[in-house]
Protein backbone atom coordinates (compact mmCIF):
# COMPACT_ATOMS: atom_id res chain seq x y z
CA UNK A 1 0.00 0.00 0.00
CA UNK A 2 1.24 3.48 -0.82
CA UNK A 3 2.19 5.66 2.13
CA UNK A 4 -0.79 7.83 3.10
CA UNK A 5 -0.35 11.36 1.80
CA UNK A 6 -3.10 12.73 4.05
CA UNK A 7 -3.48 12.12 7.77
CA UNK A 8 -7.03 13.46 7.73
CA UNK A 9 -9.67 13.51 4.97
CA UNK A 10 -8.97 16.33 2.49
CA UNK A 11 -11.13 19.45 2.82
CA UNK A 12 -11.61 21.90 -0.02
CA UNK A 13 -13.78 23.31 -2.78
CA UNK A 14 -14.61 21.92 -6.21
CA UNK A 15 -15.97 24.03 -9.05
CA UNK A 16 -18.45 21.53 -10.54
CA UNK A 17 -21.60 22.10 -8.47
CA UNK A 18 -21.62 25.84 -9.06
CA UNK A 19 -19.86 26.36 -12.42
CA UNK A 20 -20.16 23.01 -14.19
CA UNK A 21 -17.87 22.66 -17.20
CA UNK A 22 -17.35 26.42 -17.60
CA UNK A 23 -15.39 27.68 -14.59
CA UNK A 24 -12.97 30.54 -15.25
CA UNK A 25 -9.73 31.78 -13.77
CA UNK A 26 -11.49 34.70 -12.09
CA UNK A 27 -13.94 32.36 -10.38
CA UNK A 28 -11.18 30.05 -9.16
CA UNK A 29 -9.30 32.98 -7.64
CA UNK A 30 -12.42 34.49 -6.04
CA UNK A 31 -13.12 31.19 -4.31
CA UNK A 32 -9.47 30.85 -3.30
CA UNK A 33 -9.61 34.34 -1.75
CA UNK A 34 -12.73 33.41 0.22
CA UNK A 35 -11.26 30.13 1.45
CA UNK A 36 -8.04 31.79 2.57
CA UNK A 37 -9.94 34.52 4.43
CA UNK A 38 -12.68 32.50 6.12
CA UNK A 39 -12.02 28.74 5.98
CA UNK A 40 -8.29 28.07 5.99
CA UNK A 41 -7.96 28.37 9.81
CA UNK A 42 -10.43 25.47 10.11
CA UNK A 43 -8.50 23.10 7.84
CA UNK A 44 -9.96 23.83 4.40
CA UNK A 45 -7.15 24.01 1.83
CA UNK A 46 -7.87 22.61 -1.67
CA UNK A 47 -9.13 24.61 -4.65
CA UNK A 48 -10.05 22.11 -7.37
CA UNK A 49 -10.84 23.04 -10.98
CA UNK A 50 -13.24 20.44 -12.36
CA UNK A 51 -13.83 19.07 -15.87
CA UNK A 52 -13.45 20.70 -19.32
CA UNK A 53 -10.84 23.31 -18.40
CA UNK A 54 -9.26 22.54 -21.78
CA UNK A 55 -12.41 23.35 -23.80
CA UNK A 56 -12.67 26.97 -25.01
CA UNK A 57 -16.42 26.84 -25.74
CA UNK A 58 -17.66 25.18 -22.56
CA UNK A 59 -20.50 27.25 -21.13
CA UNK A 60 -22.72 25.16 -18.82
CA UNK A 61 -22.99 21.78 -17.11
CA UNK A 62 -23.47 20.06 -20.46
CA UNK A 63 -20.60 18.64 -22.52
CA UNK A 64 -20.06 19.72 -26.11
CA UNK A 65 -19.55 16.46 -27.98
CA UNK A 66 -16.39 16.21 -30.11
CA UNK A 67 -15.52 19.91 -29.79
CA UNK A 68 -11.91 21.06 -30.30
CA UNK A 69 -9.76 21.03 -27.18
CA UNK A 70 -6.61 22.95 -26.24
CA UNK A 71 -3.67 20.56 -26.58
CA UNK A 72 0.11 20.58 -27.04
CA UNK A 73 2.12 18.71 -29.67
CA UNK A 74 2.39 15.66 -27.37
CA UNK A 75 -1.35 15.22 -26.97
CA UNK A 76 -1.43 16.77 -23.50
CA UNK A 77 -4.47 18.93 -22.72
CA UNK A 78 -3.90 22.56 -21.76
CA UNK A 79 -6.11 25.19 -20.10
CA UNK A 80 -8.25 27.17 -22.55
CA UNK A 81 -6.63 30.61 -22.65
CA UNK A 82 -9.92 32.46 -23.19
CA UNK A 83 -11.09 31.14 -19.81
CA UNK A 84 -7.71 31.05 -18.06
CA UNK A 85 -5.69 34.01 -19.41
CA UNK A 86 -2.64 33.28 -17.25
CA UNK A 87 -2.17 30.02 -19.22
CA UNK A 88 -0.98 32.01 -22.26
CA UNK A 89 2.51 31.28 -23.48
CA UNK A 90 2.44 27.64 -22.42
CA UNK A 91 2.26 28.37 -18.68
CA UNK A 92 -0.71 26.08 -18.09
CA UNK A 93 -2.07 26.31 -14.55
CA UNK A 94 1.26 27.39 -13.07
CA UNK A 95 0.18 30.93 -12.19
CA UNK A 96 -3.15 29.88 -10.68
CA UNK A 97 -1.44 27.17 -8.62
CA UNK A 98 1.15 29.71 -7.47
CA UNK A 99 -1.66 32.11 -6.52
CA UNK A 100 -3.31 29.43 -4.38
CA UNK A 101 0.05 28.55 -2.80
CA UNK A 102 0.64 32.22 -1.97
CA UNK A 103 -2.58 32.12 0.07
CA UNK A 104 -1.45 29.02 1.95
CA UNK A 105 -3.79 26.81 -0.09
CA UNK A 106 -3.34 23.89 -2.49
CA UNK A 107 -4.49 23.55 -6.09
CA UNK A 108 -6.07 20.62 -7.90
CA UNK A 109 -7.46 19.72 -11.32
CA UNK A 110 -9.91 17.22 -12.79
CA UNK A 111 -8.73 14.83 -15.50
CA UNK A 112 -10.38 12.07 -17.50
CA UNK A 113 -8.59 8.73 -17.69
CA UNK A 114 -6.91 7.90 -20.98
CA UNK A 115 -5.72 9.86 -24.00
CA UNK A 116 -7.64 12.56 -25.93
CA UNK A 117 -9.41 11.31 -29.04
CA UNK A 118 -8.14 14.47 -30.70
CA UNK A 119 -4.56 13.37 -29.99
CA UNK A 120 -5.25 9.87 -31.28
CA UNK A 121 -6.80 11.10 -34.52
CA UNK A 122 -3.86 13.48 -35.05
CA UNK A 123 -1.43 10.66 -34.16
CA UNK A 124 0.52 12.91 -31.80
CA UNK A 125 3.84 11.58 -30.55
CA UNK A 126 4.15 10.80 -26.84
CA UNK A 127 6.87 12.76 -25.08
CA UNK A 128 9.70 10.44 -24.08
CA UNK A 129 8.29 7.46 -25.95
CA UNK A 130 8.90 5.63 -29.21
CA UNK A 131 5.16 5.23 -29.80
CA UNK A 132 2.31 7.59 -30.58
CA UNK A 133 -1.05 8.37 -29.00
CA UNK A 134 -2.71 6.23 -31.66
CA UNK A 135 -0.70 3.20 -30.50
CA UNK A 136 -1.96 3.36 -26.92
CA UNK A 137 -5.66 4.09 -27.48
CA UNK A 138 -8.18 1.37 -26.60
CA UNK A 139 -10.95 2.15 -29.08
CA UNK A 140 -13.57 0.11 -27.16
CA UNK A 141 -12.76 1.84 -23.87
CA UNK A 142 -14.77 5.04 -24.03
CA UNK A 143 -16.71 7.06 -21.48
CA UNK A 144 -20.49 6.86 -21.89
CA UNK A 145 -21.11 10.49 -20.89
CA UNK A 146 -18.13 12.42 -22.29
CA UNK A 147 -16.59 12.19 -25.75
CA UNK A 148 -13.14 13.61 -25.05
CA UNK A 149 -11.08 10.49 -24.39
CA UNK A 150 -10.16 6.94 -25.30
CA UNK A 151 -9.02 4.68 -22.50
CA UNK A 152 -5.46 3.40 -22.70
CA UNK A 153 -4.29 -0.08 -23.51
CA UNK A 154 -2.22 -1.92 -20.93
CA UNK A 155 1.09 -1.13 -22.64
CA UNK A 156 4.41 0.50 -21.83
CA UNK A 157 3.53 3.34 -24.19
CA UNK A 158 0.43 4.13 -22.11
CA UNK A 159 2.63 4.44 -19.03
CA UNK A 160 4.83 6.82 -21.03
CA UNK A 161 1.78 8.97 -21.78
CA UNK A 162 0.68 9.10 -18.16
CA UNK A 163 4.25 9.92 -17.15
CA UNK A 164 4.26 12.81 -19.61
CA UNK A 165 1.03 14.40 -18.37
CA UNK A 166 1.99 14.14 -14.70
CA UNK A 167 5.38 15.62 -15.48
CA UNK A 168 3.42 18.57 -16.90
CA UNK A 169 1.09 18.80 -13.90
CA UNK A 170 4.05 18.73 -11.53
CA UNK A 171 5.64 21.62 -13.42
CA UNK A 172 2.42 23.58 -12.90
CA UNK A 173 2.47 22.93 -9.14
CA UNK A 174 -0.66 20.74 -8.98
CA UNK A 175 -1.36 19.19 -5.55
CA UNK A 176 -4.58 17.24 -6.17
CA UNK A 177 -5.86 15.11 -9.06
CA UNK A 178 -9.48 14.12 -9.47
CA UNK A 179 -9.43 11.38 -12.10
CA UNK A 180 -12.81 10.60 -13.65
CA UNK A 181 -14.38 7.63 -15.48
CA UNK A 182 -12.16 5.28 -13.53
CA UNK A 183 -13.71 4.11 -10.24
CA UNK A 184 -16.92 2.46 -11.40
CA UNK A 185 -17.56 -0.56 -13.61
CA UNK A 186 -21.17 -0.11 -14.74
CA UNK A 187 -20.29 2.02 -17.74
CA UNK A 188 -17.65 -0.33 -19.17
CA UNK A 189 -18.76 -3.81 -20.19
CA UNK A 190 -15.78 -4.50 -22.45
CA UNK A 191 -13.66 -5.78 -19.57
CA UNK A 192 -14.53 -6.94 -16.08
CA UNK A 193 -14.81 -7.03 -13.18
CA UNK A 194 -12.63 -3.99 -12.34
CA UNK A 195 -11.84 -2.70 -15.76
CA UNK A 196 -9.68 0.34 -15.02
CA UNK A 197 -7.35 -1.24 -12.48
CA UNK A 198 -4.22 -1.01 -14.65
CA UNK A 199 -4.90 2.63 -15.52
CA UNK A 200 -5.20 3.44 -11.81
CA UNK A 201 -1.84 1.75 -11.29
CA UNK A 202 -0.28 3.68 -14.19
CA UNK A 203 -1.49 6.96 -12.72
CA UNK A 204 -0.08 6.07 -9.30
CA UNK A 205 3.29 5.20 -10.89
CA UNK A 206 3.26 8.46 -12.86
CA UNK A 207 2.60 10.48 -9.69
CA UNK A 208 5.43 8.69 -7.89
CA UNK A 209 7.75 9.38 -10.82
CA UNK A 210 6.88 13.08 -11.27
CA UNK A 211 8.55 14.13 -8.01
CA UNK A 212 5.59 16.03 -6.59
CA UNK A 213 3.17 14.69 -4.01
CA UNK A 214 -0.41 14.74 -5.31
CA UNK A 215 -3.59 13.50 -3.68
CA UNK A 216 -5.29 11.05 -6.06
CA UNK A 217 -9.09 11.09 -6.01
CA UNK A 218 -11.02 8.58 -8.17
CA UNK A 219 -14.48 9.18 -9.65
CA UNK A 220 -17.28 8.51 -10.21
CA UNK A 221 -18.86 5.87 -8.03
CA UNK A 222 -20.08 3.59 -6.85
CA UNK A 223 -16.74 1.96 -6.28
CA UNK A 224 -17.10 -1.62 -5.12
CA UNK A 225 -16.25 -2.72 -1.60
CA UNK A 226 -14.59 -5.85 -3.00
CA UNK A 227 -12.05 -3.59 -4.73
CA UNK A 228 -11.15 -1.80 -1.49
CA UNK A 229 -7.67 -3.33 -1.16
CA UNK A 230 -6.68 -2.19 -4.66
CA UNK A 231 -8.16 1.25 -4.09
CA UNK A 232 -6.32 1.68 -0.80
CA UNK A 233 -3.07 0.58 -2.40
CA UNK A 234 -3.19 3.10 -5.24
CA UNK A 235 -5.54 5.98 -4.34
CA UNK A 236 -5.98 8.50 -1.54
CA UNK A 237 -9.76 8.80 -1.92
CA UNK A 238 -12.47 7.27 -4.08
CA UNK A 239 -16.13 7.91 -4.70
CA UNK A 240 -18.66 5.56 -3.12
CA UNK A 241 -21.55 6.89 -5.24
CA UNK A 242 -22.55 8.46 -8.49
CA UNK A 243 -22.89 12.24 -8.57
CA UNK A 244 -24.49 13.52 -5.38
CA UNK A 245 -26.88 16.48 -5.49
CA UNK A 246 -29.21 18.34 -3.14
CA UNK A 247 -32.02 15.78 -3.12
CA UNK A 248 -33.23 13.98 0.00
CA UNK A 249 -33.45 10.62 -1.81
CA UNK A 250 -29.73 10.76 -2.60
CA UNK A 251 -28.87 11.79 0.95
CA UNK A 252 -31.00 9.00 2.42
CA UNK A 253 -29.26 6.44 0.17
CA UNK A 254 -25.89 7.64 1.44
CA UNK A 255 -26.54 5.95 4.78
CA UNK A 256 -26.34 2.60 2.95
CA UNK A 257 -23.07 3.49 1.23
CA UNK A 258 -21.48 4.72 4.44
CA UNK A 259 -22.52 1.58 6.32
CA UNK A 260 -20.97 -0.58 3.58
CA UNK A 261 -17.64 1.31 3.71
CA UNK A 262 -17.38 1.96 7.47
CA UNK A 263 -14.11 1.15 9.28
CA UNK A 264 -11.87 1.95 6.33
CA UNK A 265 -8.23 2.32 7.49
CA UNK A 266 -7.05 5.83 8.22
CA UNK A 267 -5.14 7.61 5.48
CA UNK A 268 -7.27 6.41 2.55
CA UNK A 269 -10.76 7.82 2.29
CA UNK A 270 -14.04 6.55 0.80
CA UNK A 271 -15.70 9.69 -0.55
CA UNK A 272 -19.39 10.65 -0.21
CA UNK A 273 -18.90 13.28 -2.97
CA UNK A 274 -19.25 17.03 -2.86
CA UNK A 275 -21.34 19.08 -0.45
CA UNK A 276 -24.08 20.80 -2.53
CA UNK A 277 -24.49 23.76 -0.20
CA UNK A 278 -24.75 27.48 -0.76
CA UNK A 279 -25.38 28.81 -4.28
CA UNK A 280 -25.32 26.12 -6.99
CA UNK A 281 -25.68 25.73 -10.77
CA UNK A 282 -24.60 29.27 -11.60
CA UNK A 283 -24.39 28.77 -15.37
CA UNK A 284 -27.43 26.59 -16.09
CA UNK A 285 -30.10 24.45 -14.45
CA UNK A 286 -28.63 21.19 -13.17
CA UNK A 287 -30.55 18.80 -10.91
CA UNK A 288 -32.68 21.82 -10.00
CA UNK A 289 -33.09 25.47 -10.90
CA UNK A 290 -30.20 27.58 -12.12
CA UNK A 291 -28.42 29.89 -9.67
CA UNK A 292 -30.33 28.37 -6.75
CA UNK A 293 -29.56 28.03 -3.10
CA UNK A 294 -29.27 24.42 -2.00
CA UNK A 295 -32.56 22.51 -2.13
CA UNK A 296 -31.70 20.86 1.17
CA UNK A 297 -33.57 22.16 4.21
CA UNK A 298 -31.40 23.32 7.07
CA UNK A 299 -32.22 20.08 8.88
CA UNK A 300 -31.08 18.06 5.86
CA UNK A 301 -27.90 20.11 5.65
CA UNK A 302 -27.14 19.16 9.25
CA UNK A 303 -27.79 15.51 8.39
CA UNK A 304 -25.39 15.66 5.46
CA UNK A 305 -22.65 17.41 7.41
CA UNK A 306 -23.07 15.09 10.41
CA UNK A 307 -22.90 11.93 8.30
CA UNK A 308 -19.96 13.10 6.16
CA UNK A 309 -18.15 14.20 9.34
CA UNK A 310 -18.61 11.18 11.59
CA UNK A 311 -17.96 8.81 8.65
CA UNK A 312 -14.83 10.88 7.83
CA UNK A 313 -15.55 11.46 4.17
CA UNK A 314 -13.44 14.07 2.40
CA UNK A 315 -15.26 17.40 2.46
CA UNK A 316 -15.45 19.20 -0.88
CA UNK A 317 -17.74 22.23 -0.79
CA UNK A 318 -19.73 22.69 -3.99
CA UNK A 319 -21.31 26.16 -3.84
CA UNK A 320 -19.88 29.48 -4.96
CA UNK A 321 -18.20 30.46 -1.71
CA UNK A 322 -18.25 34.28 -2.10
CA UNK A 323 -22.08 34.04 -2.04
CA UNK A 324 -22.25 32.03 1.19
CA UNK A 325 -24.71 33.29 3.78
CA UNK A 326 -23.98 33.23 7.51
CA UNK A 327 -25.71 29.88 7.98
CA UNK A 328 -23.63 28.15 5.32
CA UNK A 329 -20.42 29.66 6.64
CA UNK A 330 -21.30 28.51 10.15
CA UNK A 331 -21.47 24.90 8.97
CA UNK A 332 -17.96 25.10 7.55
CA UNK A 333 -16.38 26.88 10.51
CA UNK A 334 -17.75 24.86 13.41
CA UNK A 335 -14.60 24.15 15.42
CA UNK A 336 -15.88 21.07 17.23
CA UNK A 337 -17.20 19.56 14.00
CA UNK A 338 -13.92 20.11 12.19
CA UNK A 339 -11.99 18.69 15.15
CA UNK A 340 -14.15 15.56 15.06
CA UNK A 341 -13.69 15.22 11.31
CA UNK A 342 -9.93 15.50 11.63
CA UNK A 343 -9.21 13.44 14.75
CA UNK A 344 -12.01 10.93 15.41
CA UNK A 345 -11.67 7.30 14.32
CA UNK A 346 -13.71 4.17 13.64
CA UNK A 347 -16.96 5.89 12.74
CA UNK A 348 -19.68 3.27 12.47
CA UNK A 349 -23.39 2.77 12.35
CA UNK A 350 -24.58 1.53 15.76
CA UNK A 351 -28.36 1.56 15.39
CA UNK A 352 -30.87 1.51 12.56
CA UNK A 353 -34.60 0.95 12.82
CA UNK A 354 -36.75 2.07 9.92
CA UNK A 355 -39.94 1.38 8.06
CA UNK A 356 -41.04 2.58 4.63
CA UNK A 357 -41.69 5.97 6.24
CA UNK A 358 -38.21 6.33 7.69
CA UNK A 359 -37.04 6.00 11.26
CA UNK A 360 -33.88 6.32 13.34
CA UNK A 361 -30.20 5.87 12.45
CA UNK A 362 -27.32 6.42 14.87
CA UNK A 363 -23.55 6.59 14.34
CA UNK A 364 -20.67 6.68 16.81
CA UNK A 365 -16.95 7.42 16.59
CA UNK A 366 -14.03 7.66 19.00
CA UNK A 367 -12.39 11.00 19.60
CA UNK A 368 -9.32 11.89 21.63
CA UNK A 369 -10.56 11.58 25.18
CA UNK A 370 -14.18 11.72 24.07
CA UNK A 371 -16.92 9.95 22.12
CA UNK A 372 -19.07 11.31 19.30
CA UNK A 373 -22.66 10.34 18.61
CA UNK A 374 -24.90 11.34 15.70
CA UNK A 375 -28.67 10.76 15.81
CA UNK A 376 -30.59 10.93 12.53
CA UNK A 377 -34.34 11.26 12.05
CA UNK A 378 -35.20 10.00 8.55
CA UNK A 379 -38.95 10.46 9.02
CA UNK A 380 -40.91 13.34 7.50
CA UNK A 381 -41.96 14.65 10.91
CA UNK A 382 -39.98 15.97 13.91
CA UNK A 383 -39.66 13.59 16.85
CA UNK A 384 -37.74 12.75 19.99
CA UNK A 385 -35.05 10.10 19.60
CA UNK A 386 -33.42 8.11 22.43
CA UNK A 387 -30.45 5.78 21.95
CA UNK A 388 -29.01 3.33 24.49
CA UNK A 389 -25.23 3.94 24.53
CA UNK A 390 -24.07 1.50 27.23
CA UNK A 391 -22.22 -0.63 24.66
CA UNK A 392 -20.08 2.34 23.61
CA UNK A 393 -19.28 4.09 26.90
CA UNK A 394 -18.70 3.01 30.50
CA UNK A 395 -22.14 1.89 31.74
CA UNK A 396 -23.66 3.82 34.63
CA UNK A 397 -21.03 6.53 34.18
CA UNK A 398 -22.00 10.18 33.82
CA UNK A 399 -20.81 12.07 30.75
CA UNK A 400 -21.05 15.75 30.02
CA UNK A 401 -22.57 16.38 26.64
CA UNK A 402 -21.77 19.09 24.12
CA UNK A 403 -24.20 19.85 21.30
CA UNK A 404 -21.91 20.46 18.33
CA UNK A 405 -24.40 22.22 16.04
CA UNK A 406 -25.86 24.33 18.85
CA UNK A 407 -22.30 25.17 19.92
CA UNK A 408 -23.14 24.80 23.60
CA UNK A 409 -23.03 22.38 26.55
CA UNK A 410 -26.21 20.34 26.92
CA UNK A 411 -26.01 18.96 30.47
CA UNK A 412 -25.03 15.38 31.18
CA UNK A 413 -26.12 11.87 30.25
CA UNK A 414 -25.83 8.36 31.62
CA UNK A 415 -26.51 5.20 29.59
CA UNK A 416 -28.61 6.89 26.90
CA UNK A 417 -28.86 10.01 24.74
CA UNK A 418 -32.12 11.71 23.88
CA UNK A 419 -32.72 14.58 21.49
CA UNK A 420 -35.56 16.32 19.71
CA UNK A 421 -34.67 16.06 16.00
CA UNK A 422 -36.33 17.83 13.09
CA UNK A 423 -37.70 15.94 10.07
CA UNK A 424 -34.78 14.63 7.97
CA UNK A 425 -32.52 16.19 10.60
CA UNK A 426 -29.64 15.26 12.87
CA UNK A 427 -28.22 15.90 16.32
CA UNK A 428 -24.45 15.64 16.82
CA UNK A 429 -22.94 15.30 20.29
CA UNK A 430 -19.54 15.10 21.93
CA UNK A 431 -19.44 13.12 25.21
CA UNK A 432 -16.68 13.49 27.78
CA UNK A 433 -16.54 11.47 30.99
CA UNK A 434 -17.11 13.43 34.20
CA UNK A 435 -14.32 12.52 36.59
Amino acid sequence: MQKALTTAPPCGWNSWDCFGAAVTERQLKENADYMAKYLKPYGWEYIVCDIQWYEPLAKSNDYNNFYPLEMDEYGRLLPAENRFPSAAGGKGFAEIAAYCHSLGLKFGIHIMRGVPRQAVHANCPIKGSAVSCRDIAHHFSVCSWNTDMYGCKNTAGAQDYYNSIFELYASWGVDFIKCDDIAVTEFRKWDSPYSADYEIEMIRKAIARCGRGMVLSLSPGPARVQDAAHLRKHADMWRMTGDFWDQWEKLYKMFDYCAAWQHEPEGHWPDCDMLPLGVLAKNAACHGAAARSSNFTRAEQLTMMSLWGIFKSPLMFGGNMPENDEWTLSLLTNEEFMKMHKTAARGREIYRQESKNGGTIAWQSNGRGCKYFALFNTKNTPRKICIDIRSFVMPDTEYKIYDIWAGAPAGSVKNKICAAVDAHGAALFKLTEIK
Side-chain angles (χ1 to χ4, degrees):
M1 184 185 299
Q2 61 144 356
K3 182 179 179 182
L5 190 62
T6 58
T7 57
C11 296
W13 172 82
N14 180 288
S15 63
W16 174 254
D17 283 359
C18 51
F19 298 116
V23 68
T24 66
E25 179 168 346
R26 176 182 60 81
Q27 291 160 345
L28 291 177
K29 288 183 174 179
E30 286 175 351
N31 278 274
D33 290 340
Y34 182 97
M35 181 176 287
K37 182 176 181 179
Y38 296 106
L39 303 184
K40 181 175 175 288
Y42 299 89
W44 300 83
E45 59 180 343
Y46 291 96
I47 295 291
V48 181
C49 178
D50 211 273
I51 195 168
Q52 304 303 118
W53 42 264
Y54 37 79
E55 186 190 338
L57 299 179
K59 60 182 182 300
S60 69
N61 293 68
D62 294 325
Y63 305 117
N64 296 317
N65 293 335
F66 305 108
Y67 270 47
L69 310 176
E70 292 289 336
M71 190 177 73
D72 72 7
E73 68 270 29
Y74 298 112
R76 300 180 298 183
L77 296 172
L78 302 172
E81 294 179 14
N82 64 318
R83 294 167 53 200
F84 307 97
S86 68
K91 295 183 217 176
F93 277 121
E95 289 196 11
I96 297 177
Y99 184 80
C100 291
H101 296 159
S102 73
L103 298 173
L105 305 176
K106 297 178 181 178
F107 178 69
I109 59 173
H110 173 289
I111 66 171
M112 296 290 290
R113 72 179 178 94
V115 59
R117 295 190 191 199
Q118 184 174 302
V120 172
H121 299 162
N123 201 26
C124 294
I126 296 171
K127 186 177 181 182
S129 181
V131 302
S132 72
C133 291
R134 186 174 295 169
D135 297 319
I136 67 170
H138 195 315
H139 62 287
F140 287 145
S141 176
V142 294
C143 178
S144 67
W145 42 267
N146 183 284
T147 60
D148 293 339
M149 313 292 280
Y150 288 114
C152 289
K153 296 177 182 176
N154 192 5
T155 69
Q159 185 66 63
D160 291 339
Y161 180 76
Y162 277 121
N163 291 346
S164 75
I165 63 173
F166 278 90
E167 176 185 281
L168 183 64
Y169 304 154
S171 75
W172 292 345
V174 170
D175 306 293
F176 183 106
I177 294 290
K178 175 185 174 182
C179 185
D180 215 337
D181 190 42
I182 202 165
V184 67
T185 58
E186 282 92 327
F187 300 137
R188 293 189 299 275
K189 302 302 183 183
W190 53 270
D191 193 11
S192 64
Y194 186 42
S195 53
D197 57 353
Y198 64 81
E199 287 194 84
I200 294 172
E201 293 169 17
M202 287 177 180
I203 291 169
R204 173 51 60 193
K205 289 175 183 176
I207 292 174
R209 180 182 178 276
C210 79
R212 183 176 182 84
M214 299 180 193
V215 171
L216 177 58
S217 169
L218 304 181
S219 288
R224 305 185 313 172
V225 175
Q226 57 262 48
D227 295 320
H230 188 268
L231 291 163
R232 287 195 300 268
K233 184 175 181 180
H234 299 289
D236 300 288
M237 50 188 278
W238 55 89
R239 285 264 299 280
M240 302 187 301
T241 74
D243 284 2
F244 178 78
W245 281 93
D246 47 335
Q247 299 159 355
W248 169 247
E249 294 75 16
K250 288 182 178 289
L251 178 52
Y252 181 60
K253 181 65 177 175
M254 196 65 71
F255 285 105
D256 295 334
Y257 288 114
C258 289
W261 281 97
Q262 63 190 343
H263 290 165
E264 272 300 299
E266 300 291 292
H268 306 274
W269 314 105
D271 179 13
C272 295
D273 199 14
M274 290 173 283
L275 299 164
L277 296 172
V279 178
L280 308 170
K282 293 279 290 181
N283 293 319
C286 187
H287 297 274
R292 70 180 182 278
S293 294
S294 178
N295 285 323
F296 283 138
T297 66
R298 288 192 173 187
E300 289 166 349
Q301 292 177 42
L302 294 181
T303 288
M304 178 176 61
M305 292 296 291
S306 299
L307 181 59
W308 268 236
I310 203 164
F311 175 75
K312 296 195 74 167
S313 170
L315 302 178
M316 288 289 166
F317 186 78
N320 185 35
M321 291 190 290
E323 295 182 84
N324 282 352
D325 57 17
E326 290 185 10
W327 162 261
T328 304
L329 179 59
S330 74
L331 297 177
L332 309 180
T333 56
N334 184 300
E335 291 188 19
E336 284 291 345
F337 172 83
M338 295 303 295
K339 181 179 178 181
M340 177 191 72
H341 181 255
K342 182 177 181 180
T343 64
R346 295 186 64 79
R348 61 203 187 276
E349 183 181 279
I350 60 170
Y351 180 85
R352 186 164 186 169
Q353 187 176 58
E354 295 183 291
S355 67
K356 64 180 181 180
N357 297 317
T360 300
I361 302 173
W363 277 67
Q364 188 270 328
S365 67
N366 300 326
R368 295 176 181 174
C370 64
K371 303 278 188 178
Y372 295 101
F373 290 87
L375 311 183
F376 301 97
N377 174 19
T378 61
K379 284 184 174 291
N380 296 329
T381 55
R383 44 196 278 271
K384 185 176 181 179
I385 293 174
C386 289
I387 297 293
D388 188 318
I389 61 172
R390 285 175 292 182
S391 297
F392 313 102
V393 298
M394 293 292 291
D396 301 318
T397 301
E398 192 169 13
Y399 288 80
K400 63 181 179 180
I401 186 167
Y402 185 87
D403 186 328
I404 289 177
W405 293 124
S412 64
V413 296
K414 184 189 294 186
N415 296 335
K416 69 178 180 179
I417 299 176
C418 294
V421 185
D422 288 335
H424 297 179
L428 184 62
F429 299 116
K430 173 183 176 181
L431 271 64
T432 308
E433 184 179 351
I434 297 174
K435 298 181 179 179

